[in-house]
Amino acid sequence: DPAKNKSSHAYCDYLNSNIFSACHSVVDPYESYLSCVYDMCACTENLKDCLCPMLAEYASLCAASGVDIPWRLSVDECHVPCVGGQEYQVCPNECIRSCHNINIDPDC
């Protein structure tokens, strides 16, 4: 289906966009892009249920290489709603702030 192929490429172009550009020199997006296009062409359900895991997989590869990408803030289809003053973070700091932890780990 040419229309589905075109839309698959359009959605997967997020991987090649400025959203992920900080990671491109560390993790080549080419293989992730090809996998994304294949999966998006085969997607028969809600597109975001197919797209978001593909983008998340590439973002995980980036994070594992030391590049955190707050991509969900820029991709409307994958936006994570936060309520009650909460703020989306790529990898939140799991430390419980206490006087003891702050003395041991200044990053906490």
Side-chain angles (χ1 to χ4, degrees):
D1 178 8
K4 192 157 191 165
N5 186 35
K6 184 176 180 180
S7 69
S8 296
H9 282 277
Y11 280 115
C12 296
D13 275 342
Y14 281 125
L15 291 169
N16 295 319
S17 74
N18 287 337
I19 296 168
F20 290 98
S21 64
C23 185
H24 290 164
S25 65
V26 180
V27 180
D28 187 345
Y30 181 74
E31 290 297 324
S32 295
Y33 179 82
L34 293 180
S35 294
C36 180
V37 170
Y38 180 83
D39 287 356
M40 290 299 292
C41 281
C43 185
T44 57
E45 51 197 66
N46 187 344
L47 286 179
K48 74 176 188 176
D49 292 340
C50 299
L51 174 65
C52 300
M54 295 301 302
L55 300 181
E57 183 178 329
Y58 180 71
S60 293
L61 294 172
C62 294
S65 296
V67 181
D68 291 331
I69 307 283
W71 63 277
R72 288 188 184 269
L73 299 174
S74 302
V75 179
D76 291 339
E77 296 86 355
C78 304
H79 180 74
V80 176
C82 296
V83 296
Q86 295 177 338
E87 179 181 300
Y88 171 77
Q89 296 179 3
V90 175
C91 297
N93 186 338
E94 298 292 332
C95 294
I96 297 171
R97 291 187 61 82
S98 68
C99 293
H100 177 74
N101 285 352
I102 292 171
N103 284 333
I104 293 172
D105 183 358
D107 293 329
C108 185

